[in-house]
Every structure is written in structure tokens, then in C-alpha cells.
Amino acid sequence: MTKRIPLALVGVGKIARDQHIPSIAGGADFELAAAVSRHGKVDGVDNFENFDAFLTARPDVKVVSLCTPPEVRFDMAKKAIAAGRDVLMEKPPATTLGEAEALSALAAEAGVTLFATWHSRFALGVEPARLWLSDKTIKTVSIVWKEDVRRWHPGQAWIWEPGGFGVFDPGINALSILTAVVPGPILVERSTLEFPENKKQPIAASIAMRTVDGAPVSAEFDWRQEGPQTWDITIETDQGLLRLSKGGSELYIGDALHTAGPDREYAGIYERFGALIRARESDTDYQPLRLVADSFLCGERKVVASFED
């Protein structure tokens, strides 16, 4: 068995504990050697409260996984790249396209691996959906992505601040699947963004888009859905209907279930990261982030009732 690569986890919050730590432990490529967080700690590894202190103290740890909120990620990624470390970035990879593109250029110049992850692309139904669609003509695409922010982001005030993305934090998952399975660019035409009067980021969004060939694409995002959660993408083609449900974990062709199984999204991320490091390559597709940016540029702002979470 190949020796595991020492890795530092930066940002020990809910997503790190729920997904990153188990996926690192369950995979074959990496060994968690250090953690960096102002508030959380991981048992059995070196823990640091300061990222600069980690870089100085552990030059042997050549790989970092950045799970912090996006607004602080650029400076950390820049320092890690300058120190010759390979970098994985949780989604969304950066606060702006400018930051994201700058990091890609810095990584290329330094010769390190940079991986901008989109975990929903590793859902079980996504790659089979891409393959099925590859020889079809797409007629329409409909995205309905509605969930309860209180359930999935409890106490995370940063998501409502500038750079926090609001409902686009989960919505960008749908856009990452869209841009993975539909060939060619997706173009935003217009959007309506609903801002609670006491928040700085939207709680809901309605987006009209089109494929480069002109097929209409609609997306409805909402963070106020209680009860059953909805993560569906339906694509009508010249040869029938395709539906990705439950965030891409279930694929239906027509009415028949084609692909389903247990969640391996983050396991897939770390397998991909290991392969990129071995090949000394990077993977930095920022198309989902561009669609978010374009939705703000084309967006009509609508103020709605205050929201308390």
C-alpha cells in the first residue's frame, strides 16, 4: 500500500467533522496530521490556532484542505501556495472570481496542485447523467433546490454577511451539477433575489438561464423550506426525460430508477485530490461561481420579511 500523504485540515467546523474527517480517515491517500482552527480541535493530531504558525511548525505537511468560510480562504491559499503546499478548497472556492483566478495563476507559477472542489459533482448519479446526455439534444432544464437553513447551517452567521453567498451556498451545488452534465456554457439572462430586510445576502433566488444552444434553464433556490427537502434537476431531451434527485444521489431515466446508492461525495473529492497530486495537475473549474456572480449582476433585488435563524 502506498504511504499516506500527511494533510492539514484548516477550519474545524460542522462540514469538516461531518464529511472531511471521516472521508480522509476512510480513504487510502491521506493521513490527517494537523488541524488549524480558532475554535475547534481534532484529537490525536497537532492543533494550531494560527495558520502561519502551522506553516512554520510543520514544513513536512505538504497538503492542506481549506474548509474555512470563503471570505478568509484567499489569504490562506495564497500563503500555502507560496510555501509549496498542495491545496484543496471547499466550495465555493473563493469570494470572487478575481480571487479564484488569481489563485489558479499563483498555483501554476509555483507548480503546486490546486483543487477547487464541487462535492455535488461526485454524487452517484452525476457522471452517469453526463454520459447519458452526451448524445442528446437538451430541450429544457429545471432546477428546484429548496432546503431549511436552520437545519443545515445552524448558528452560522457568516453566510448572511457580504461574501457569505446566502442561499447560493447550497444553490451553487445545483449549479455545479448543471455545469458538469450539460455540455457548453450556461448563460444567465435575469434573476430575482429575495433579501430579508435584516440580512445582507439572499434567502431565495429565481434565475432564468439558457444553454449556448438556446435551451431554457430555470432555477429556484429557497432557504425557507421546512419538512422534506428538495434537491432536484429535471432535464427534458429529444430522447426522453432525465431527473437527478436528492442532490444527485438518485438518477431517473424516464420513470425508472437508473442509479442510486450511499453518499460518497467527499470520498470522491479526496480520491480525485490524490490523483491530481500524483499527476502534479490542478483542477480549477469556476463555472458555478461565475453563474452566481452573473445572477447578482443580472439580479433584481426584492426585500422580503425579516428572517431569524
Side-chain angles (χ1 to χ4, degrees):
M1 179 176 175
T2 304
K3 185 178 179 181
R4 292 173 181 252
I5 304 169
L7 175 145
L9 187 65
V10 184
V12 184
K14 178 176 171 54
I15 195 66
R17 295 192 184 280
D18 289 350
Q19 297 289 353
H20 287 265
I21 293 174
S23 296
I24 293 166
D29 290 306
F30 300 101
E31 175 187 4
L32 187 57
V36 184
S37 176
R38 289 181 298 172
H39 306 293
K41 294 186 182 301
V42 179
D43 292 339
V45 305
D46 281 347
N47 286 274
F48 300 86
E49 293 185 2
N50 181 275
F51 188 63
D52 292 341
F54 153 71
L55 290 175
T56 300
R58 293 299 306 266
D60 58 310
V61 180
K62 300 295 187 182
V63 177
V64 299
S65 178
L66 298 180
C67 304
T68 63
E71 67 265 22
V72 299
R73 200 172 296 154
F74 176 80
D75 287 340
M76 289 181 173
K78 180 181 176 182
K79 290 176 180 178
I81 290 168
R85 316 296 169 97
D86 297 319
V87 179
L88 178 151
M89 298 185 292
E90 244 289 8
K91 66 86 192 174
T95 303
T96 67
L97 276 169
E99 287 183 348
E101 291 171 351
L103 290 175
S104 292
L106 289 170
E109 183 178 353
V112 303
T113 292
L114 181 65
F115 183 22
T117 68
W118 305 104
H119 64 81
S120 290
R121 287 182 172 178
F122 292 86
L124 288 178
V126 173
E127 179 60 12
R130 185 191 69 80
L131 293 172
W132 190 84
L133 289 167
S134 62
D135 62 351
K136 313 292 190 299
T137 298
I138 292 173
K139 299 171 71 175
T140 64
V141 181
S142 173
I143 300 170
V144 181
W145 217 261
K146 298 182 178 182
E147 63 182 58
D148 184 355
V149 64
R150 294 186 179 99
R151 182 190 304 187
W152 302 103
H153 296 272
Q156 296 180 23
W158 62 268
I159 56 177
W160 298 111
E161 295 298 320
F165 285 75
V167 75
F168 284 101
D169 183 80
I172 205 170
N173 295 333
L175 300 176
S176 73
I177 295 174
L178 174 69
T179 51
V181 302
V182 174
I186 305 294
L187 309 175
V188 175
E189 295 181 325
R190 62 188 180 277
S191 64
T192 300
L193 311 179
E194 297 187 14
F195 287 75
E197 60 183 4
N198 62 333
K199 303 294 185 184
K200 299 173 184 176
Q201 291 293 323
I203 197 169
S206 177
I207 312 165
M209 299 172 277
R210 69 180 188 275
T211 68
V212 73
D213 294 324
V217 180
S218 66
E220 297 292 334
F221 301 151
D222 203 314
W223 243 352
R224 298 166 294 196
Q225 178 146 308
E226 300 177 357
Q229 310 286 274
T230 305
W231 301 294
D232 292 338
I233 300 176
T234 303
I235 302 177
E236 180 186 2
T237 79
D238 62 333
Q239 297 181 47
L241 203 66
L242 175 149
R243 177 164 58 90
L244 284 161
S245 191
K246 297 182 179 179
S249 64
E250 292 182 357
L251 169 62
Y252 293 83
I253 306 296
D255 294 327
L257 180 62
H258 182 278
T259 304
D263 172 23
R264 292 198 75 255
E265 292 181 15
Y266 281 84
I269 280 175
Y270 280 97
E271 289 170 4
R272 173 66 172 154
F273 192 32
L276 288 169
I277 290 173
R278 289 190 293 273
R280 302 313 305 159
E281 296 176 351
S282 291
D283 182 350
T284 55
D285 176 15
Y286 300 130
Q287 290 306 300
L289 184 61
R290 178 187 61 78
L291 290 178
V292 172
D294 288 354
S295 296
F296 276 94
L297 284 170
C298 297
E300 174 187 354
R301 180 186 176 100
K302 180 179 178 182
V303 178
V304 297
S306 295
F307 182 81
E308 301 298 339
D309 55 343

